Amino acid sequence: MSTGRAVADDGGSGLASFRRNVWWGLAGTVACVLGFAVGDWVLDPDVPAGLRALTGLSTATTIVACGVLLGRRMRDRAPSAGWLVTAAGAALVAAAVPLAVGNFGIWSIAPAATIAVLVMFLPARRAWQALGLALLVLPAIGLFTALATGEPNVAHAVWMPALMVVAFGPAMLGMLRGWQVAARLDDARRLAGQLAVADERLRFAADLHDIQGHHLQVIALKSELAARLAEADPARAAEQMREVQQLAGDALRETRALVQGYRRTTLDAEIANASRVLTAAGVEVHADVDAGLAAALPQAPRSLLGLVVREATTNVLRHSSATRAAIVLVPDDAGARLVIDNDGARPVVAGDGTGLASLAERLDAVGGRLSWVSDDDRFVVTATVTG
């Protein structure tokens, strides 16, 4: 029942936070049920002190061992042999002592909880088969013990262990399944973002291939022809080389035009593309853009704001686990202000260049300004330009 990967800690947000919440829910369930159910009996002065101490210690050990094993399971790690033995041994003692003195109400709680934790390390089908086996074995132990000791309420000795298995097993496997689904959805979200970026790169590569492929093929043919004519007909060879030179110039101009068009996409198109890519990556995007303002800006500042949108979008995809983002373009004192805000930001590492610094220099050159700030899990990029 593995999710296929261990999720790295993201500083308290997103999937890692959900993982911790699931662990607290699972471990807390074990601790609360065992603590409250066994605690009353352990504190009962009518029970011999030695038995109470042994049961209390074994119950506490069971809770700790189950918590450690649950932590390893949530991180997709194999169970430690030492903790497996500790959990199983402590659960057996916590069950044997109450059962030996005829307490048929609490003896099955520790083994049922421990079994539910241990089957989480098995594949789905084997986990349910193990729970089915426990659903037969624990009531059978209760029945045989009740008959051997002359317990009058045999039914209670049978249904109580069955109830504990049913209460712990499906609930804990269900919570684990919820975590696995969330982990897979997060993988899918990240993959969608990567595919959107890859799709854009493939589009550019295809356009470049169309331009370069034709010209280079013709250049190669004409160069080969010129080489053959060099001695027999120098004039035609020179003519062919002049055509090669012209073709090379055409290829260079068209390549520059393609790259310029790629880099200077309109601001509206950049914002629309950013919204599409982020949405594909599972980020909820709010765009508040003054379309008339974007069209009214001069070419240079408009192109630079487009680059800011592109760089900020790349940073959201690569350096955050964002679930929400906002892109706002509004009038400023003498021009326009662009703000891109996202959550799920990871701590900024010194020297981990993102391209924002070079964009800040280019904006300064045209009288604009670019700044960015990281506040807890939020990252805000603000760019201003003059109209």
Side-chain angles (χ1 to χ4, degrees):
M1 296 179 69
S2 172
T3 62
R5 66 173 174 85
V7 180
D9 197 338
D10 58 8
S13 62
L15 196 61
S17 177
F18 180 55
R19 180 189 62 210
R20 283 191 288 271
N21 291 337
V22 173
W23 180 85
W24 277 109
L26 293 169
T29 298
V30 173
C32 289
V33 174
L34 265 68
F36 283 113
V38 181
D40 285 342
W41 188 74
V42 170
L43 297 176
D44 187 351
D46 294 334
V47 179
L51 297 181
R52 287 191 287 145
L54 183 58
T55 303
L57 179 60
S58 59
T59 300
T61 304
T62 301
I63 293 172
V64 172
C66 286
V68 173
L69 291 171
L70 286 169
R72 296 186 68 87
R73 182 62 188 88
M74 296 305 298
R75 293 180 179 273
D76 281 332
R77 296 176 183 172
S80 165
W83 283 110
L84 284 175
V85 172
T86 300
L92 287 175
V93 175
V97 175
L99 189 61
V101 296
N103 190 322
F104 291 92
I106 66 170
W107 78 271
S108 60
I109 299 177
T114 304
I115 290 170
V117 170
L118 296 182
V119 300
M120 293 172 73
F121 290 94
L122 300 175
R125 172 175 288 186
R126 292 181 60 191
W128 289 106
Q129 289 173 347
L131 285 180
L133 182 61
L135 193 58
L136 296 175
V137 172
L138 291 186
I141 293 174
L143 174 62
F144 294 148
T145 306
L147 293 175
T149 58
E151 167 66 27
N153 193 354
V154 175
H156 179 261
V158 174
W159 67 256
M160 189 63 183
L163 177 63
M164 289 298 99
V165 173
V166 171
F168 276 110
M172 299 183 77
L173 288 179
M175 293 179 71
L176 175 65
R177 177 62 178 170
W179 154 251
Q180 291 173 325
V181 170
R184 288 167 184 162
L185 287 175
D186 186 72
D187 283 340
R189 179 187 70 84
R190 294 179 186 278
L191 180 60
Q194 294 170 3
L195 289 176
V197 173
D199 182 64
E200 180 64 14
R201 290 174 177 170
L202 286 174
R203 183 195 66 78
F204 177 75
D207 290 345
L208 184 62
H209 176 270
D210 291 342
I211 291 173
Q212 297 280 13
H214 171 73
H215 287 294
L216 290 175
Q217 185 176 17
V218 177
I219 287 172
L221 291 173
K222 286 188 172 292
S223 298
E224 182 181 356
L225 178 60
R228 292 176 181 175
L229 295 172
E231 294 183 2
D233 193 345
R236 287 187 61 193
E239 181 183 351
Q240 293 296 325
M241 289 309 299
R242 282 192 293 272
E243 292 183 11
V244 166
Q245 184 180 15
Q246 182 180 355
L247 286 168
D250 291 344
L252 182 60
R253 282 190 297 274
E254 291 182 24
T255 301
R256 285 174 176 169
L258 173 65
V259 174
Q260 184 180 50
Y262 181 73
R263 290 181 176 174
R264 295 186 180 178
T265 307
T266 64
L267 179 57
D268 289 341
E270 284 294 345
I271 293 174
N273 184 62
S275 299
R276 180 181 64 85
V277 170
L278 292 175
T279 300
V283 181
E284 181 182 340
V285 182
H286 170 71
D288 182 7
V289 178
D290 188 328
L293 174 63
L297 289 172
Q299 175 63 37
R302 186 166 68 244
S303 296
L304 287 174
L305 287 183
L307 291 177
V308 171
V309 172
R310 185 178 295 176
E311 180 65 26
T313 303
T314 300
N315 289 341
V316 171
L317 292 173
R318 291 183 178 176
H319 306 298
S320 79
S321 54
T323 58
R324 292 183 177 85
I327 304 173
V328 179
L329 179 68
V330 294
D332 198 42
D333 293 340
R337 183 173 74 254
L338 172 71
V339 179
I340 302 174
D341 182 353
N342 66 274
D343 64 358
R346 300 191 181 102
V348 178
V349 179
D352 148 21
T354 61
L356 292 176
S358 61
L359 284 175
E361 295 176 358
R362 295 176 64 178
L363 278 166
D364 286 341
V366 297
R369 185 173 181 272
L370 177 64
S371 63
W372 56 93
V373 61
S374 179
D375 181 14
D376 291 332
D377 73 333
R378 291 183 62 216
F379 193 79
V380 183
V381 177
T382 304
T384 57
V385 296
T386 56

